[in-house]
Each structure stands twice: as C-alpha cells, then as structure tokens.
Amino acid sequence: MSEFKVGDRVEVIGGTYNSDINVGDRGTIIADIGCLMGVDFDIDIGGHSCSGRGRYGHCWRVSTDYLKKIEESKVDTLEQKNLDGVERRNRGWNG
C-alpha cells in the first residue's frame, strides 16, 4: 500500500523523465496509478491533464520513488498564490 493518497501535497525529490519538472517542484496528487501518482503541479510543466482529472499542462505521472509528502504552512500557500499571480500577469492574464 502506498504512503500517498489522492489530495496529498507532494514535492519532487528526484528524476521524473520530464525536463520541465525540477527537484523541489510541488503539486497535489490527483490519481493513484499503483507505483505512479498522477500529480497536478502548481506550475505548468508542459504535461497533460491526467485523463481530465487535472489542469492541462500541469499534470504528470511520477514514480513514488521521486516524491515526498509535505505539509504546507499558510506562508507556503500564500507564496504560491503570489507566484501564480506573477505567472498570470506575465502571460497577460488579469487575476
């Protein structure tokens, strides 16, 4: 049985076969596919949508060997929201 479950916040700790995903990138597990987890990353990693479960471009199937479960504080969450706002502005979106 996996230590991960759908809804867990995770951080990448190793290789993922996608050069746009880096150690330290964070996301939320949206699918349990045995030894792989469908992760919806906080940033667009040039991925897919995990069969429509997540946001297009933000998802990738990652081995459990390359993930660690994290507990985020409110500060972490606010920093990510600020980062998301910067990304939207850089792309010309209003938000």
Side-chain angles (χ1 to χ4, degrees):
M1 184 169 176
S2 175
E3 67 182 275
F4 302 102
K5 65 182 186 309
V6 172
D8 284 347
R9 291 288 293 161
V10 292
E11 184 174 299
V12 174
I13 59 170
T16 62
Y17 304 106
N18 178 330
S19 61
D20 292 324
I21 300 173
N22 299 300
V23 170
D25 284 351
R26 294 179 174 187
T28 303
I29 293 179
I30 57 172
D32 183 341
I33 314 163
C35 64
L36 298 175
M37 293 290 135
V39 179
D40 188 330
F41 284 93
D42 296 339
I43 59 172
D44 187 327
I45 47 89
H48 46 72
S49 68
C50 277
S51 301
R53 292 183 181 113
R55 298 171 293 161
Y56 185 80
H58 289 248
C59 300
W60 200 254
R61 291 174 186 94
V62 181
S63 168
T64 55
D65 294 337
Y66 301 137
L67 296 172
K68 75 173 181 179
K69 191 172 173 181
I70 59 170
E71 297 293 329
E72 291 186 314
S73 68
K74 287 186 178 185
V75 172
D76 290 337
T77 305
L78 288 173
E79 286 174 358
Q80 184 57 48
K81 285 182 181 177
N82 289 337
L83 175 61
D84 289 345
V86 168
E87 287 177 354
R88 280 194 298 272
R89 282 193 298 279
N90 288 343
R91 293 180 183 160
W93 297 338
N94 294 323

